[in-house]
């Protein structure tokens, strides 16, 4: 009877294609032969048939080599309809070039001549084995070494002689040294050379018992592809699945390319440390070499990566390319087209050990390259094109509860480079980010202008527990809070360090800060963004400009800049009050105040100066006199302050004390604690003193002392002592009138002593600095007393 075994052999070989492919998981191996084993069999089964002790055997030869042999213990042929039965059948296929030693065996086969169907009743066993040395060995020789045989088992196999098609609805099992598996329902279409695996495809392979499953599959020879529907690959802690996967084969049946389409998803976990989820519309794998090594994996369309765990992270892109090296070791990940990488801090509002609140951040760039060390550990990431990092309070943090939910910080630069490290729990965390060039930080708060700082580059360091540790900007740093000009804070430096934990910005490298009309330079400046306070240290110099002239003011009423120098400075932005400490010196035009500390209120143009016994407060004032004609008032005033008796008439008064309080609108300077006033040819001391100044509107502009504080009169109280050359006066209260150089001393009772007149006491003593006149007034109860020396 006709029994086209060659078609059965090719169908069985096609089944082997799928199962060999599963050995490498995603790397499929297929082997479809282009030539038939046999072109036809004799019409009658009696050709080349010989009866043996065990039954019947027949074979087919070509060119002196056997193509196949069939043995059966029993053959029954029904002449009425041409049907036949074979029992205990064993088939060996050697191939035209003797390169095969494939065996097929089963208990019962039937042949229906009318339908052309050959049916295997019951179980069919198939062993597929290559025989590379077959052509050099005797005909029908068994291979010396059986390498990687493939064993298949099925039942109820039906092969149609007329169409060349074959199918079974039963389960097909396979086993190789590397893998095992099964499928339910297999069909082979000879016309299209298509092998269809109907359902429940399942394979297990590898030392880790990796499994590949699919709902449906097709294998075609032209083109050479394997298509699986709903494939799913599972290995230890990893799962990959898609709606459809297509495997493209080379001429040698090695897989060159794999295309997964429709909801491509991958999941992996490392215990409780972290879980990874990846998704894309499509994934393409490119492979090379006989070992089908993975070279690149390209994910396109809504690429989404999510990591769960202590530090959740999400990544988005429209296209991602994974590069592999060696034995499928991941080397690089290139994400492009709308890339976003978002890290979310753990909820609950718990602060880091250093007090900083947890923060979320999002990295966006046209493209990001991730470099992997050891095939699994993320080591470095570099952005391409203009990139930005957005930092905001974590959901559920205390900062959100306080009402700053919309506050965020946006960091931009031409390129970012991130470094990663592995935590003790095995998770991956970002440790630092370097941005350059054109680095920029924009801090946004609802209802307030954006605060912006720019620089050549910046470095962001992250805390091990999450959150940003610090942001350091270098090279031409510039900062502004974009407030209206009269309230605006701006800063410049070579380096700026910002710590979110305390929201403090530290400027160094020739730092300079302007706040409204105030400019400050120092060795280092700190700005608290939360409280708007500023701290400066080392060679501090502040200049208050853009001042309007105050006609009713005096000491600080000029429109000229007010300058202050000190060792340190503390500025309270909300109150416009600034404290200068350490050899503080404040001056405007010719008016100079020095003290260990000066607290200055620029809004009120008032100050409080504090001194020590070794370094008292010092004030330089100009008397209301018509005799001053210096062309350099500031220099002249300082010179006369140090040399009060040198040069012209009494034009300068230097007052020192432990404390000074002055408000320009009141034109009154109040001194406390060891007050000493030094003028031209006089010195006065007292416990307290009040100096009253002339308003600017009362000062004669022709005196060329624009902006100088003009002393009108002074009142000193408590243990008053006035000393002049050859004269000394004491009392409890002194009223000094600058325009007349007149001293009125009362209380005590007052007394005056000079070498010529001796000592004079009375109720009131009036004397003038310009001449030697002394006016003494007394009362009935307190007559004037004069004590005169008698020369002997």
């Amino acid at each position: 009877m006709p029994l086209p075994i060659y078609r059965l052999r090719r169908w069985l070989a096609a089944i082997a294609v799928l199962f060999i492919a599963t050995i490498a998981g995603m790397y499929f191996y297929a082997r479809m032969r282009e030539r038939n084993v046999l072109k036809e069999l004799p019409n009658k089964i009696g050709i080349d048939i010989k009866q043996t002790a065990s039954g019947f055997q027949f074979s087919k030869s070509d060119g002196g080599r056997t193509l196949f042999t069939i043995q059966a213990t029993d053959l029954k042929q029904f002449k009425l309809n041409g049907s036949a039965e074979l029992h205990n059948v064993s088939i060996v296929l050697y191939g035209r070039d003797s390169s095969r030693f494939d065996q097929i065996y089963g208990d019962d086969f039937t042949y229906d001549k009318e339908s052309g169907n050959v049916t295997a009743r019951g179980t069919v066993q198939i062993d597929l084995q290559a025989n590379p040395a077959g052509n050099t060995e005797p005909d029908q020789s068994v291979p010396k070494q059986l390498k990687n045989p493939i064993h298949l088992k099925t039942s109820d196999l039906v092969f149609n002689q007329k169409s060349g098609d074959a199918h079974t609805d039963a389960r097909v099992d396979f086993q190789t040294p590397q893998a095992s598996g099964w499928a339910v329902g297999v069909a082979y279409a000879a016309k299209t050379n298509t092998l269809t695996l109907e359902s429940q495809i399942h394979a297990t392979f590898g030392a880790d018992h990796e499994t590949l499953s699919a709902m449906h599959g097709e294998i075609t020879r032209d083109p050479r592809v394997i298509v699986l529907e709903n494939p799913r690959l599972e290995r230890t802690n990893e799962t990959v699945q898609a709606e459809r996967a297509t495997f493209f084969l080379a001429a040698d049946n090695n897989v060159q390319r794999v295309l997964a389409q429709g909801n491509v998803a991958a999941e992996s976990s490392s215990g409780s440390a972290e879980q990874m989820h990846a998704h894309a519309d499509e994934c393409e794998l490119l492979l090379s070499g006989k070992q089908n090594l993975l070279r690149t994996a390209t994910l396109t369309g809504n690429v989404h990566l999510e990591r769960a765990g202590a530090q959740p992270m999400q990544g988005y892109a429209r296209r991602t390319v994974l590069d592999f090296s060696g034995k499928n070791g991941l080397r690089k990940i290139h994400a492009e087209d709308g890339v976003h990488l978002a890290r979310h801090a753990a909820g609950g509002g718990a602060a880091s050990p250093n007090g900083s609140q947890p923060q979320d951040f999002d990295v966006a760039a046209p493209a990001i390259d991730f470099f992997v060390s050891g095939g699994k550990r993320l080591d470095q990431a570099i952005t391409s094109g203009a990139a930005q990092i957005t930092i905001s309070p974590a959901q559920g943090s205390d900062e959100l509860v306080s009402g700053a939910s919309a506050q965020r910080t946006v960091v931009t630069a031409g390129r970012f480079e991130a470094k990663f490290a592995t935590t003790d729990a095995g998770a991956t965390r970002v440790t630092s980010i370097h941005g350059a060039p054109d680095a920029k930080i924009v801090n946004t708060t609802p209802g307030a202008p954006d605060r912006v700082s720019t620089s050549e580059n910046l470095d962001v360091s992250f805390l091990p527990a999450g959150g940003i540790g610090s942001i350091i900007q270098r090279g031409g740093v510039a900062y502004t809070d974009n407030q209206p000009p009269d309230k605006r804070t701006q800063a410049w430096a070579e380096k700026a360090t910002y710590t979110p934990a305390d929201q403090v910005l530290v400027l160094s490298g020739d730092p300079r800060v302007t706040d409204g009309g105030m400019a400050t330079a120092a060795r280092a400046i700190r700005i608290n963004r939360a409280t708007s306070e500023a701290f400066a240290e080392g060679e501090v110099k502040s200049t208050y400009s853009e001042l309007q002239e105050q006609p009713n003011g005096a000491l600080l009423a000029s429109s000229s800049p007010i300058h202050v120098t000190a060792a340190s400075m503390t500025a309270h932005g909300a109150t416009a009050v600034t404290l200068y400490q350490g050899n503080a010196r404040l001056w405007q035009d010719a008016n100079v105040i020095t003290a260990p500390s000066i607290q200055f209120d620029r809004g009120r143009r008032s100050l409080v100066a504090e001194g020590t016994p070794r370094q008292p407060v010092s004030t330089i004032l100009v008397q209301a006199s018509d005799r001053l004609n210096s062309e350099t008032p500031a220099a002249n005033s300082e010179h006369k302050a140090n040399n009060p008796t040198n040069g012209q008439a009494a034009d300068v008064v230097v007052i020192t004390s432990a404390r000074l309080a002055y408000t320009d609108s009141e034109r009154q300077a109040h001194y406390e604690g060891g007050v000493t006033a030094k003028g031209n040819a006089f010195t006065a001391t007292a416990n307290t003193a009040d100096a009253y100044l002339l308003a600017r509107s009362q000062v004669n502009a022709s005196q060329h002392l624009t902006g100088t504080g003009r002393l009108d009169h002074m009142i000193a109280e408590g243990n008053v002592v006035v000393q002049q050359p050859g004269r000394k006066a004491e009392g409890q209260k002194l009223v000094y009138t600058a325009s007349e150089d007149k001293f009125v001393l009362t209380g005590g009772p007052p007394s005056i002593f000079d070498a010529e007149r001796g000592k004079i006491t009375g109720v009131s003593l009036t004397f003038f600095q310009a001449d030697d006149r002394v006016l003494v007034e007394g009362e009935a109860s307190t007559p004037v007393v004069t004590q005169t020396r008698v020369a002997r």
Side-chain angles (χ1 to χ4, degrees):
M1 71 174 190
L3 186 62
I5 299 299
Y6 75 96
R7 294 188 182 274
L8 178 60
R9 161 68 180 87
R10 191 166 67 179
W11 181 79
L12 295 173
I15 295 177
V17 170
L18 172 67
F19 296 126
I20 293 172
T22 60
I23 295 173
M26 298 299 286
Y27 319 127
F28 280 76
Y29 170 81
R31 189 172 67 248
M32 292 184 175
R33 302 188 176 277
E34 296 184 358
R35 304 182 61 184
N36 297 332
V37 177
L38 301 173
K39 293 185 178 180
E40 60 178 327
L41 288 176
N43 292 328
K44 296 182 179 180
I45 198 167
I47 298 179
D48 295 330
I49 294 178
K50 59 182 179 180
Q51 188 170 0
T52 66
S54 59
F56 296 91
Q57 174 179 313
F58 65 93
S59 61
K60 172 67 176 177
S61 299
D62 185 13
R65 306 293 295 190
T66 301
L67 300 180
F68 66 87
T69 61
I70 300 177
Q71 289 183 341
T73 59
D74 186 28
L75 171 74
K76 292 182 180 181
Q77 187 174 12
F78 304 97
K79 296 184 178 180
L80 181 64
N81 57 11
S83 299
E85 291 182 357
L86 286 172
H87 300 286
N88 297 325
V89 177
S90 174
I91 304 171
V92 180
L93 299 99
Y94 304 99
R96 189 168 296 278
D97 55 0
S98 300
S99 63
R100 304 296 310 165
F101 192 79
D102 298 335
Q103 301 178 72
I104 304 171
Y105 43 95
D107 292 336
D108 298 293
F109 287 81
T110 64
Y111 171 65
D112 186 337
K113 182 178 180 181
E114 183 176 348
S115 63
N117 287 338
V118 178
T119 303
R121 299 295 185 188
T123 302
V124 177
Q125 307 279 352
I126 304 170
D127 292 327
L128 303 178
Q129 171 65 47
N131 185 19
N135 201 24
T136 60
E137 297 292 330
D139 189 31
Q140 300 186 28
S141 295
V142 178
K144 293 181 179 180
Q145 293 183 345
L146 298 178
K147 296 182 178 180
N148 301 322
I150 299 174
H151 178 73
L152 303 115
K153 182 176 72 171
T154 188
S155 62
D156 301 330
L157 184 66
V158 178
F159 171 73
N160 186 270
Q161 174 194 6
K162 297 178 182 179
S163 65
D165 296 342
H167 72 274
T168 179
D169 294 330
R171 169 170 166 160
V172 178
D173 293 281
F174 83 93
Q175 185 172 358
T176 75
Q178 296 85 9
S180 62
W182 49 270
V184 175
V186 180
Y188 174 72
K191 185 176 182 180
T192 59
N193 287 316
T194 301
L195 176 66
T196 301
L197 302 141
E198 298 292 351
S199 64
Q200 303 183 43
I201 303 169
H202 183 87
T204 303
F205 50 90
D208 296 331
H209 301 287
E210 301 169 4
T211 61
L212 174 68
S213 60
M215 294 181 63
H216 182 81
E218 287 188 357
I219 304 173
T220 62
R221 192 175 70 175
D222 188 17
R224 293 176 178 268
V225 297
I226 301 173
V227 180
L228 298 180
E229 301 294 337
N230 298 111
R232 180 181 176 89
L233 176 66
E234 296 183 20
R235 56 186 301 176
T236 304
N237 300 325
E238 294 181 5
T239 302
V240 181
Q241 60 185 12
E243 293 179 359
R244 180 184 179 93
T246 304
F247 302 83
F248 298 86
L249 311 178
D252 59 358
N253 290 323
N254 282 312
V255 177
Q256 290 183 320
R257 185 165 68 100
V258 180
L259 181 62
Q261 296 171 298
N263 293 320
V264 181
E267 296 184 6
S268 66
S269 62
S270 300
S272 59
E274 60 181 28
Q275 294 181 340
M276 300 290 293
H277 306 273
H279 177 273
D281 293 341
E282 184 175 287
C283 176
E284 181 182 39
L285 307 177
L286 297 181
L287 304 99
S288 65
K290 293 183 178 181
Q291 295 181 335
N292 300 118
L293 295 178
L294 184 60
R295 292 307 178 199
T296 64
T298 303
L299 291 82
T300 56
N302 299 313
V303 182
H304 178 206
L305 175 68
E306 181 176 356
R307 183 184 73 184
Q311 297 187 21
M313 183 176 292
Q314 292 183 331
Y316 305 89
R318 291 185 178 88
R319 185 171 184 268
T320 302
V321 180
L322 288 75
D323 289 335
F324 296 84
S325 62
K327 295 184 178 181
N328 300 330
L330 182 60
R331 182 183 67 88
K332 176 183 174 183
I333 302 173
H334 175 77
E336 62 183 22
D337 196 3
V339 183
H340 282 269
L341 183 65
R343 193 200 71 82
H344 300 286
S352 299
N354 71 340
S356 64
Q357 293 293 335
Q359 297 164 325
D360 296 340
F361 74 89
D362 178 277
V363 181
I368 301 179
D369 288 308
F370 299 89
F371 296 89
V372 180
S373 176
K376 59 178 65 176
R377 185 177 68 83
L378 190 59
D379 180 67
Q380 185 182 18
I382 299 176
T383 66
S384 299
Q388 77 173 32
I389 301 172
T390 301
I391 305 165
S392 57
Q395 296 295 319
S397 67
D398 294 340
E399 196 167 348
L400 278 177
V401 175
S402 66
S405 59
Q407 179 178 339
R408 64 173 187 166
T409 300
V410 178
V411 185
T412 59
R415 186 177 97 156
F416 286 111
E417 180 178 344
K419 297 288 186 179
F420 296 84
T422 303
T423 65
D424 294 338
T428 300
R429 72 175 186 89
V430 60
T431 59
S432 64
I433 294 178
H434 175 75
D438 303 325
K440 183 178 182 180
I441 301 176
V442 179
N443 190 279
T444 301
T445 302
D450 290 346
R451 290 168 286 176
V452 181
S453 59
T454 59
S455 61
E456 294 177 4
N457 59 72
L458 61 82
D459 290 279
V460 182
S461 64
F462 293 84
L463 300 170
I468 294 177
S470 65
I471 301 176
I472 300 176
Q473 292 181 268
R474 292 183 176 89
V477 180
Y479 166 81
T480 178
D481 62 3
N482 284 312
Q483 293 284 348
D486 59 331
K487 299 180 180 179
R488 183 174 302 164
T489 298
Q490 295 178 285
W492 298 266
E494 283 303 308
K495 179 181 177 182
T497 302
Y498 176 67
T499 52
D502 52 15
Q503 297 190 50
V504 172
L505 176 68
V506 179
L507 305 173
S508 58
D510 297 325
R512 182 167 58 94
V513 175
T514 64
D515 186 359
M518 169 188 173
T520 299
R523 290 181 181 176
I525 298 176
R526 292 180 296 142
I527 300 175
N528 190 315
R529 291 186 173 183
T531 63
S532 298
E533 289 184 326
F535 310 88
E537 296 179 349
E539 300 179 6
V540 178
K541 181 177 180 180
S542 297
T543 299
Y544 296 84
S545 57
E546 301 179 8
L547 301 176
Q548 292 185 358
E549 184 174 347
Q550 305 294 332
N552 294 324
L555 190 63
L556 304 174
S558 169
S559 61
S560 301
I562 296 175
H563 304 281
V564 188
T565 60
S568 66
M569 178 204 78
T570 302
H572 304 278
T575 60
V577 175
T578 305
L579 175 63
Y580 296 90
Q581 293 178 297
N583 297 317
R585 184 172 185 267
L586 182 149
W587 73 95
Q588 183 186 48
D589 295 325
N591 304 317
V592 181
I593 299 172
T594 60
S597 71
I598 297 176
Q599 181 173 286
F600 177 59
D601 185 339
R602 61 177 173 178
R604 300 177 59 204
R605 298 201 195 186
S606 64
L607 60 88
V608 175
E610 300 283 352
T612 64
R614 291 187 177 183
Q615 187 181 1
V617 180
S618 176
T619 308
I620 299 178
L621 303 174
V622 177
Q623 294 178 248
S625 172
D626 294 332
R627 292 172 288 173
L628 189 65
N629 57 10
S630 172
E631 296 181 357
T632 58
N636 187 53
S637 296
E638 292 190 52
H639 174 72
K640 291 185 177 181
N642 298 320
N643 304 275
T645 61
N646 182 31
Q648 300 175 352
D651 300 315
V652 173
V653 177
V654 178
I655 303 176
T656 60
S657 65
R659 187 175 188 273
L660 163 65
Y662 174 77
T663 301
D664 202 60
S665 60
E666 299 175 2
R667 303 192 304 279
Q668 177 185 358
H670 177 72
Y671 301 90
E672 294 180 358
V675 182
T676 300
K678 292 184 179 181
N680 187 20
F682 84 89
T683 299
T685 61
N687 294 341
T688 65
D690 290 286
Y692 297 88
L693 309 180
L694 290 175
R696 283 187 55 79
S697 58
Q698 297 177 278
V699 177
N700 187 351
S702 65
Q703 294 177 324
H704 307 293
L705 288 175
T706 303
T708 56
R710 308 300 300 277
L711 179 63
D712 180 69
H713 67 281
M714 179 175 63
I715 301 176
E717 294 184 285
N719 299 317
V720 179
V721 177
V722 180
Q723 290 185 320
Q724 292 177 313
R727 180 185 294 176
K728 179 180 179 181
E730 296 180 353
Q732 293 301 314
K733 181 177 181 181
L734 170 67
V735 177
Y736 170 70
T737 304
S739 60
E740 302 177 82
D741 273 347
K742 182 177 71 173
F743 299 84
V744 178
L745 189 63
T746 59
S751 64
I752 187 169
F753 174 83
D754 64 35
E756 295 181 1
R757 299 184 179 89
K759 182 177 180 181
I760 305 173
T761 61
V763 175
S764 173
L765 297 178
T766 302
F767 52 96
F768 299 85
Q769 182 170 307
D771 51 40
D772 293 333
R773 286 184 301 154
V774 177
L775 302 179
V776 183
E777 296 182 9
E779 296 177 353
S781 60
T782 310
V784 176
V785 178
T786 302
Q787 297 180 355
T788 306
R789 287 186 178 183
V790 177
R792 295 183 179 179

